[in-house]
Amino acid sequence: MTGWPQSLTDDPSLTQTKMVLTGLSNVKSPLYIISTFNTRTEHCPRLPRKPEHRNIYAELPMQETFDGYTLITSSAWKNMMNAATGGVGVLLSTRALKACTSIVKCTERIMKVNLSGNPVTTVLCCYSPHNEHPGEDVEQFYQELPTTTNAIPAHNLFMIGGDFNAQLGPTDSLFTFNQNTNRNGKHMKNFMEQYSIVPTNTRFQNRTSKLWTHRRPSDGFVQLDYILARKKWINSIKNSRAYNSFEDVKSDHHIVSCNCQISYRKRKAPARGPMKQIDWRKVAGNAILCEKFTVAVHNRFSTLCDQLDEKNSSAGYDTLTTANKDIALELLPKKRKKTLTFASNKTVMKAREELKNVAQKHQSRSTRNTERNLDAAKASLDEAYTEALEAHVKSKTEELNKLHTENKHAAAWVALRELTNQRASPVIRIAGETTEQRLDGWYQYFSNLLGKPEQCATNLEDPFFNHKISDIQTGRFTMAEV
């Protein structure tokens, strides 16, 4: 959060709630801040007062630039006492202004800001009527707010900040300062449930001085200002609370700021197929196991085929696939999991066991002493892993030098791949000194692979494809068929 510009001067004609955007919704920006603040500018000696104003939109009559910040506001309106009240605005930093694509005054109490990025960020700045105002005013506000929300795309990072004049009790919010929910709070709760929106500054557990946002004239404190966000992007909110860093503004409200860092949904890697667990090299070299597997699949398929429809060939294929997979997982050997040799080092195992014991003590009774012991045990395990890895690399390096000296290059490559954790690509080598001999070798290889009938000691019949084939006419269509 950057400080409020030092060159602000007095402007007693404004009474506004301003949204402060001090960051930029950009993929390259790791963190940005969105804040809301009821400034009570009729008492603020540091707000800008400049004679020049230029219009951006017809709905937005004022824009001012000072110290790298751009202030865009909507006009206040007169109350029953003929005093200026209300009005909303946004304060944009230079980076946020470059990302700003549009600023629209939706109503007298709602302003919308769109920031480019991935995703597009849409921020609403709003100012709700007081809880003591007539019910018609509050209902009108909560009719205008859903209308504006409906026009925002569902993928946008959507946030709403402002003075809602609403109190949310403990039954309606997680960490709240208020003890009960008032009328405005009930309207706000219904709106949030309808659009899957949550308040960010009641999501984090903070001390009470970081929860309340408004000081009443009777020295009471309440929480009235909120920053709301869609549940879809709630994990992007890293922190949200009230700050007292603007005491010299002489406002009876505290600024509420939230830190945002975009958290994209990581696409999960597809689950590994169960058939990849089988060690097919061992299966291919064991004729007895191959025959046993063939018989088991045939028997399982025969049992399942009795329950199938003869005309449904797709179901027969699915049944064969299921039987093949089930029998393979039950009968065939599986690949051994590769483990790092230095992970079984005695020093590493001892440090791992020590860490396990310390972690159990810390979970049963957490104290500063147990926390220090836990950190020390973690550091000891990391050190043990480092020493074991260095010893492993040293031994493999010595082995490589020895194999190179003895001209055992094939064994040296195996040791090198083990050291670098690389797998050799399968290569089929056909013996032959000349091109003709190698071609003849390939011919014999494929003849043995594809040219011989299936060898199985047991005479098995296919229970599915042995059904009677229907009489299918292949001639021209007849009038009866038409």
Side-chain angles (χ1 to χ4, degrees), residues 67-87:
D67 287 356
Y69 287 82
T70 301
L71 176 65
I72 303 176
T73 62
S74 64
S75 300
W77 58 89
K78 300 292 184 179
N79 60 10
M80 299 177 61
M81 307 284 297
N82 200 30
T85 183

Side-chain angles (χ1 to χ4, degrees), residues 148-166:
T148 307
T149 304
N150 289 331
I152 298 173
H155 183 67
N156 286 20
L157 174 57
F158 176 46
M159 306 185 73
I160 309 175
D163 182 2
F164 286 87
N165 287 298

